[in-house]
Amino acid sequence: MRRGMDSTGLRRSAAALVALMVAVAAVVIGSGPAQAASAAPTGRATGGRASAATVDLSRWMGDMHGYLDNQPLNRIAMPGSHDSGSWSIPADPGLCTSGWSYNVAKLDPRLAASISRAQSGSLTDQLDEGARYLDLRLCFEGGQWRTFHGAPMGGLFFDEASGEAASIKRWIDDHPSEVVIINVSAAVPAGADAKEPLTRLRDLFGSRVATRTELSPTSTYGDFVKAGKNVVLVDSSAALDQPWAWHADSISDRGSYPAGDPSWWEILKAFFNGSPPQPIYDQTLSLNQAALARDPGADAGRFFVLASIVQPDLQIPQLFLIRLLSPFFPASVRDNYLMYLANGLNPQLVTKLRTDWRAAELARNMNIVAIDDLGHRPQSDLQRAVIDINTLPGKAT
């Protein structure tokens, strides 16, 4: 082929590539649904029945005790944060070698970080924003405990100078009317002690830790507060058999977790189809509604975590392309892709909580609603929509 033809072809290819970049950027950035405007705040009630629209989220349980005192803890609608400690995962993270996704994450740690960071505020920020359930995942790496998700690691957890454990302890002490469930899982290399984080947290919280021999998920909120027990430590790793370490089977998601393992064909098909996020939002909403409608059966005595989160597996090819064409995408999409997806889902959760899921047969089953990117919503409308379920007739006593 002649040199002139080569240069013409190259110019055409370059122009086509630029056009593709612009088109992909427009599709991805514009594909997330617009956030719904939140309702204006209303006035507060008295007598422990504060309005969910205006209650101080850092103490909403205490301010709304009139609705909650006689409710089993596993019947109270409360916001929770999914992968709570992942907020501190940096753009170029260290990796947990014992994490379940280490072998994949090491191929591209930056891409792994983008789909691992599920929160944007610290653990105490999340508590201040209304979370009463923390999904705390810890990795023992290099002789220290760090928060992590999959494999990408965040900050030190027990470090006295900068670790979050001490700040959570101060928050718990300062908020005795707020009952917090902390679900702890540990990833450790061979020979390390998976019991250590639970034991250290129990020692840190001291007498505030509830024991499963005296209280249970069906004990009332009032029972926990009267006993001075406002921390429930759940041993997700099943490493301990102590009365203060609640068993992993005290929690059920009732099939609401959007776990998936798509085939390569499904991933490729999604890539070439453009794979807009709405199908994965629809999957989450469908699983959530089915879980709420399901008779709890044996789960009636457990905490119920409604996993209102996205499963991003089919979106990984899009994220790879975004990172390849990184100059054309904002950091909010490129480096925080999981939260980008969550911020498309969360307005739809608000709508469901205020409409379809307020139906008596669904609302009565509402307990912990696990959310990605818990904060940074207009007037905290998502948390308030969850909390407001407690004020419905048949839910409140």
Side-chain angles (χ1 to χ4, degrees):
M1 186 175 293
R2 291 175 298 173
R3 186 177 300 276
M5 291 290 290
D6 286 348
S7 61
T8 300
L10 286 172
R11 286 196 298 272
R12 288 175 179 171
S13 297
L17 180 58
V18 170
L20 174 62
M21 291 175 179
V22 173
V24 170
V27 169
V28 174
I29 296 173
S31 64
Q35 292 186 348
S38 60
T42 59
R44 288 183 58 173
T46 59
R49 290 182 175 247
S51 165
T54 58
V55 70
D56 182 344
L57 290 173
S58 71
R59 60 182 191 189
W60 67 266
M61 283 183 153
D63 285 356
M64 298 180 71
H65 72 85
Y67 292 110
L68 309 180
D69 278 346
N70 297 317
Q71 282 292 328
L73 198 61
N74 72 346
R75 289 282 305 279
I76 293 174
M78 63 180 82
S81 61
H82 173 240
D83 277 300
S84 310
S86 64
W87 72 274
S88 61
I89 293 173
D92 192 7
L95 299 180
C96 175
T97 54
S98 51
W100 64 268
S101 67
Y102 171 72
N103 288 332
V104 175
K106 68 182 180 181
L107 300 176
D108 189 340
R110 295 182 70 88
L111 184 147
S114 185
I115 57 172
S116 295
R117 195 180 302 104
Q119 302 297 331
S120 54
S122 70
L123 294 174
T124 50
D125 287 341
Q126 293 166 38
L127 293 169
D128 281 337
E129 285 284 339
R132 296 298 175 264
Y133 170 86
L134 298 178
D135 171 22
L136 182 60
R137 309 185 189 196
L138 299 173
C139 169
F140 191 69
E141 188 74 24
Q144 295 176 308
W145 288 98
R146 292 181 177 272
T147 54
F148 86 111
H149 179 192
M153 295 188 299
L156 294 173
F157 187 67
F158 288 108
D159 180 69
E160 292 183 4
S162 59
E164 289 195 279
S167 63
I168 297 174
K169 185 260 194 299
R170 288 191 294 271
W171 196 96
I172 294 293
D173 287 344
D174 292 342
H175 298 78
S177 64
E178 309 304 300
V179 181
V180 180
I181 303 162
I182 306 178
N183 191 6
V184 184
S185 58
V188 298
D193 184 6
K195 302 175 184 179
E196 183 183 342
L198 262 295
T199 302
R200 291 180 69 169
L201 284 172
R202 191 266 181 184
D203 292 344
L204 192 66
F205 298 138
S207 64
R208 295 196 176 276
V209 177
T211 60
R212 53 185 165 79
T213 52
E214 297 177 351
L215 295 163
S216 74
T218 59
S219 298
T220 68
Y221 163 77
D223 290 336
F224 279 85
V225 173
K226 288 174 186 175
K229 308 292 185 181
N230 64 326
V231 182
V232 174
L233 289 177
V234 179
D235 178 17
S236 182
S237 298
L240 281 163
D241 187 16
Q242 296 288 339
W244 49 265
W246 294 46
H247 292 161
D249 64 4
S250 62
I251 294 179
S252 170
D253 64 26
R254 298 186 197 170
S256 66
Y257 196 94
D261 186 16
S263 67
W264 277 109
W265 167 245
E266 290 174 314
I267 291 174
L268 286 172
K269 184 170 68 173
F271 176 62
F272 286 110
N273 287 343
S275 188
Q278 190 56 47
I280 65 173
Y281 301 156
D282 291 341
Q283 178 201 34
T284 296
L285 297 171
S286 176
L287 288 173
N288 280 188
Q289 183 139 344
L292 288 169
R294 188 172 295 119
D295 187 301
D299 287 341
R302 299 169 178 164
F303 294 114
F304 168 32
V305 177
L306 186 73
S308 299
I309 59 176
V310 297
Q311 169 53 261
D313 286 4
L314 291 179
Q315 294 289 312
I316 291 175
Q318 276 73 23
L319 174 57
F320 179 78
L321 182 60
I322 289 167
R323 294 209 59 80
L324 188 65
L325 307 177
S326 59
F328 294 87
F329 293 89
S332 59
V333 176
R334 182 186 66 241
D335 297 333
N336 296 282
Y337 197 61
L338 180 56
M339 286 195 289
Y340 161 75
L341 295 175
N343 288 326
L345 171 67
N346 288 349
Q348 299 182 47
L349 290 175
V350 173
T351 299
K352 284 290 188 181
L353 287 160
R354 289 178 172 169
T355 55
D356 297 350
W357 296 351
R358 287 179 68 87
E361 65 275 14
L362 301 182
R364 69 166 176 256
N365 290 331
M366 193 79 70
N367 187 206
I368 298 159
V369 181
I371 302 163
D372 284 332
D373 203 13
L374 178 81
H376 299 89
R377 292 280 307 145
Q379 298 180 0
S380 304
D381 61 352
L382 180 48
Q383 303 94 297
R384 296 183 189 280
V386 173
I387 292 167
D388 191 51
I389 295 292
N390 296 302
T391 69
L392 296 179
K395 189 72 174 176
T397 54

